Amino acid sequence: ACRDLGVLLPIEVWQRIIAAFDARHPTFRAWQAEWLNRTIRQGYAILPLIGQSRLFAGGRSAGETAMNEIANFPIQTQAANTLIDGAWNARLDFQRAGLKADIGLYIYDACYVECLAEEEETVRAILNHRLVDVDYWHRLEALTGNTCPIEIEIKTIRRTT
């Protein structure tokens, strides 16, 4: 937070924030602790549903050094997979609707849409549907027995030609 936002808070404040999160989300924290321990023990992680994997070689000390990466891998990767599935269907909808809109850039769990100004309302409606109601995400929810709503932020780049 200090580097990104210029906010410097005492460690006690961060400890209270983390404790409040842990109290509110005990199931997530239990899953995350098991995920970290298993990945460090095995030296690799395999995600459910489509089997993506990542190697975290080097034994316990290397795994402990990479804890943030290990903890982030399933979350960021599932978000990216969800985006890819939803965006693919959005692109198909753009084509079916005869739009010139295109998703020109994907960065992990973000995509950027380029469209004509007169297409923006239709593009937003398609994105609001396709990036929230995503088959991949529904399958992941069914697999885990949990549900989690998807929230999106839409940024549109307008072009004139």
Side-chain angles (χ1 to χ4, degrees):
C2 183
R3 183 189 72 228
D4 296 339
L5 305 172
V7 176
L8 182 59
L9 297 173
I11 190 71
E12 296 81 20
V13 173
W14 292 113
Q15 289 169 334
R16 285 197 308 270
I17 290 168
I18 292 167
F21 180 89
D22 290 351
R24 185 171 179 188
H25 305 286
T27 303
F28 172 77
R29 279 298 191 218
W31 168 83
Q32 188 178 52
E34 170 56 27
W35 172 265
L36 288 166
N37 289 332
R38 183 177 57 248
T39 302
I40 290 170
R41 189 176 58 251
Q42 296 175 163
Y44 64 91
I46 300 175
L47 296 178
L49 200 57
I50 60 174
Q52 284 170 290
S53 64
R54 179 155 176 207
L55 184 64
F56 294 97
R60 179 162 289 282
S61 63
E64 289 171 355
T65 301
M67 277 185 120
N68 286 341
E69 288 181 58
I70 294 169
N72 190 46
F73 174 64
I75 296 165
Q76 191 78 30
T77 305
Q78 303 293 16
N81 291 342
T82 301
L83 175 71
I84 290 166
D85 186 31
W88 172 257
N89 286 306
R91 291 183 83 184
L92 293 175
D93 286 353
F94 295 163
Q95 291 171 355
R96 282 190 280 266
L99 303 176
K100 292 183 179 180
D102 192 23
I103 301 173
L105 178 63
Y106 293 88
I107 303 174
Y108 301 108
D109 59 354
C111 69
Y112 295 87
V113 176
E114 191 174 347
C115 71
L116 297 170
E118 59 268 20
E119 295 178 350
E120 183 175 353
E121 187 177 328
T122 303
V123 166
R124 284 180 176 272
I126 290 170
L127 292 172
N128 272 314
H129 168 66
R130 289 300 189 177
L131 297 183
V132 174
D133 186 16
V134 181
D135 186 54
Y136 175 86
W137 191 253
H138 295 311
R139 289 180 185 194
L140 191 59
E141 288 176 322
L143 179 71
T144 63
N146 294 300
T147 60
C148 183
I150 296 176
E151 296 180 10
I152 64 170
E153 177 184 347
I154 297 175
K155 296 180 181 181
T156 305
I157 301 168
R158 294 180 183 93
R159 65 180 187 216
T160 56
T161 59

